[in-house]
Amino acid sequence: MTLIDPTGLAQAAASGDAATIYICVTCQRAGMPESEPRPGAVLADATVKAAEGTGVTVRRVRCLANCSRGPSAAMRCNGSWTYIFGGLGTDCAVALIDGARLLATAADGLLPWRGRPEPLKRGLIARIPPLDFEEDCA
Amino acid sequence: MTLIDPTGLAQAAASGDAATIYICVTCQRAGMPESEPRPGAVLADATVKAAEGTGVTVRRVRCLANCSRGPSAAMRCNGSWTYIFGGLGTDCAVALIDGARLLATAADGLLPWRGRPEPLKRGLIARIPPLDFEEDCA
């Protein structure tokens, strides 16, 4: 079952708000011996493939500085919160794409818990508000 | 000693690129008993005061989802990388402001290690590239 609304997705893409995923290609699995290819690079390759036809942009980056809890990825849309995840497996490509599409349809810019893929629940590292964000914390 | 160039700062402010710091006001010190006021809120109050006259904007937010490693803050300028820090003390207000001013003067959008306040070295949680970032990772 998916909670993604195809109409919402189309609107997000049309307004330029399709999601971007950044994947660290240097990441090792935390606590595991060094390996080639790096798990982060394997995950990035798989996510590029999984993104085909979805409107999601995938960008490889060299370091997200989440090294102790890698492999790592971040995602955001224009106007959304930015999420960073760690402890990802090389099998998390579809979870990343599903999460990015869910974020792209979120009217409040927040990645909902309901329908969020499991690796993006247990692997949540932090979230950062959009550029113009203000909140009444009084 | 400071490595901050006042001329660079003035240019950053003039171009609208002065830094914004987001501070979680809900954060407890990880592993410590609950307290009121929350350490994150105390840090936010102190940082608002420390920001006076610097051009740095400080925004309180309710949750940066870095709960296991709080107190937490994030910072960025337009076009810079976004940094998130954890394990901050209530005495880290000046460190946050100094770091934000350093980031505002960084031509490459990266917070330099040299001159970075110690709490922003040991407390680094992750960094996320600017919106339009692309890197050749081949």
Side-chain angles (χ1 to χ4, degrees):
Chain A
M1 188 185 85
T2 177
L3 298 171
I4 295 170
D5 162 26
T7 308
L9 273 178
Q11 288 173 342
S15 67
D17 288 343
T20 299
I21 301 173
Y22 304 88
I23 302 179
C24 175
V25 298
T26 314
C27 269
Q28 298 282 3
R29 184 83 188 168
M32 301 289 280
E34 296 226 347
S35 66
E36 291 291 347
R38 300 287 182 106
V42 173
L43 175 60
D45 289 348
T47 309
V48 166
K49 281 186 189 158
E52 285 174 9
T54 66
V56 176
T57 300
V58 179
R59 294 203 173 141
R60 296 172 175 89
V61 295
R62 284 217 180 78
C63 186
L64 295 170
N66 180 46
C67 313
S68 66
R69 300 200 286 181
S72 310
M75 66 175 61
R76 70 173 151 221
C77 310
N78 288 333
S80 86
W81 287 63
T82 299
Y83 290 79
I84 181 157
F85 305 99
L88 299 171
T90 53
D91 58 352
C92 287
V94 171
L96 285 172
I97 297 298
D98 285 351
R101 297 174 80 192
L102 193 58
L103 182 60
T105 60
D108 59 1
L110 287 160
L111 185 62
W113 196 256
R114 188 181 173 210
R116 186 189 299 194
E118 284 300 324
L120 309 191
K121 292 181 175 175
R122 64 174 181 265
L124 180 60
I125 298 292
R127 64 178 197 177
I128 298 160
L131 284 171
D132 57 353
F133 183 78
E134 290 194 57
E135 188 171 30
D136 179 8
C137 292
Chain B
M1 186 185 86
T2 177
L3 297 170
I4 294 171
D5 163 26
T7 308
L9 274 178
Q11 287 173 342
S15 67
D17 287 344
T20 299
I21 302 173
Y22 304 88
I23 303 179
C24 175
V25 297
T26 314
C27 268
Q28 298 282 1
R29 185 83 189 170
M32 299 290 280
E34 295 226 347
S35 66
E36 292 290 348
R38 301 288 182 106
V42 173
L43 175 61
D45 290 348
T47 309
V48 166
K49 280 187 191 159
E52 285 174 8
T54 66
V56 176
T57 299
V58 180
R59 294 202 173 141
R60 296 170 174 90
V61 295
R62 285 216 180 79
C63 186
L64 295 170
N66 180 47
C67 313
S68 66
R69 298 201 286 181
S72 311
M75 67 175 60
R76 71 174 150 220
C77 310
N78 288 333
S80 87
W81 286 64
T82 300
Y83 290 79
I84 181 158
F85 306 99
L88 298 171
T90 53
D91 58 351
C92 287
V94 172
L96 285 171
I97 297 298
D98 286 351
R101 297 174 81 190
L102 193 59
L103 182 60
T105 60
D108 59 1
L110 288 160
L111 184 62
W113 196 257
R114 188 180 172 211
R116 186 189 298 195
E118 284 300 324
L120 309 190
K121 290 181 177 176
R122 65 173 180 264
L124 180 61
I125 298 293
R127 64 177 197 178
I128 298 160
L131 284 170
D132 58 351
F133 183 78
E134 291 193 57
E135 188 171 32
D136 179 7
C137 293

